[in-house]
Amino acid sequence: APLNGPWKLMFTTVADASFSKNSTRGSAKVQNIVDGQRGRITNVIDFLPKEDGSAPPLKQLNVVIKAKAESEKRVGLVFKYAKAVFNKKLFGRNLALYIPVPAPFLTRLIVLLSRIFKFGRKKGTERKVPKAYFDVVYLDKSLRIHRTGDDNLFVQGKEEWQEARPLFQ
């Protein structure tokens, strides 16, 4: 399956998914790793050393997502958890913090409660359970372009694509 494997970020319209040495977050390499067999996507952000060579407090951030093909072009997503890996060590291992993402049940409960307590709202303005997904716009062995449900665009390439390496963020 051409969607499998690691994909390096080349361009995105999402402001907080880009990192540069001029930002307060510092510079980082961004990729996501697709494991179609397990139905999982892991977004990986590797924070790079600061300009003075010192290590940033946060070494890596991983966001683990359950993924399922909903159609030929659409991939449904359920965010599971985030894992923050720090540059501080304890017993020889980097400290890590696992952060659960609110489960779909919790989201549905919030939407249900907002429907029950819809004081003063007009009919037809009820909240719906938001659904995370992306639509594959283009896919070949080296290039992937997808658009999210929030209408954001991602352009990603495979490491093996020599000509694209200068574009990897």
Side-chain angles (χ1 to χ4, degrees):
L3 199 56
N4 268 329
W7 292 90
K8 307 276 186 190
L9 181 65
M10 297 168 65
F11 171 80
T12 183
T13 57
V14 179
D16 65 356
S18 297
F19 297 84
S20 74
K21 62 183 176 186
N22 300 329
S23 74
T24 55
R25 297 179 297 181
S27 189
K29 295 285 184 189
V30 180
Q31 69 174 324
N32 72 30
I33 302 166
V34 178
D35 183 345
Q37 202 166 27
R38 292 175 67 189
R40 183 160 79 180
I41 297 174
T42 305
N43 291 337
V44 180
I45 302 167
D46 290 306
F47 293 92
L48 302 176
K50 297 177 184 177
E51 285 193 0
D52 64 5
S54 65
L58 191 59
K59 180 178 182 175
Q60 186 180 72
L61 181 65
N62 299 320
V63 179
V64 177
I65 307 161
K66 181 180 170 186
K68 184 178 180 185
E70 293 183 349
S71 71
E72 192 174 302
K73 297 280 185 190
R74 180 160 292 178
V75 177
L77 307 171
V78 177
F79 289 80
K80 302 303 274 179
Y81 64 89
K83 176 184 170 189
V85 180
F86 297 92
N87 271 312
K88 298 285 183 199
K89 294 194 183 267
L90 182 66
F91 303 116
R93 298 185 68 179
N94 286 81
L95 288 174
L97 175 65
Y98 289 84
I99 306 160
V101 176
F105 170 77
L106 184 58
T107 304
R108 285 189 181 102
L109 182 62
I110 292 168
V111 170
L112 175 66
L113 290 174
S114 73
R115 285 179 183 164
I116 292 171
F117 300 107
K118 60 180 178 188
F119 299 115
R121 283 201 206 139
K122 295 179 185 176
K123 240 183 178 158
T125 61
E126 293 88 14
R127 289 187 184 177
K128 294 181 179 158
V129 177
K131 193 160 171 87
Y133 67 89
F134 68 80
D135 290 328
V136 177
V137 176
Y138 179 84
L139 177 64
D140 68 20
K141 65 182 176 99
S142 302
L143 178 66
R144 175 175 125 196
I145 301 172
H146 72 259
R147 186 175 301 279
T148 68
D150 293 328
D151 206 32
N152 288 306
L153 195 66
F154 285 82
V155 178
Q156 298 168 314
K158 291 276 190 170
E159 182 78 34
E160 301 82 45
W161 187 13
Q162 298 291 326
E163 297 84 1
R165 282 192 177 172
L167 300 173
F168 294 151
Q169 296 182 12

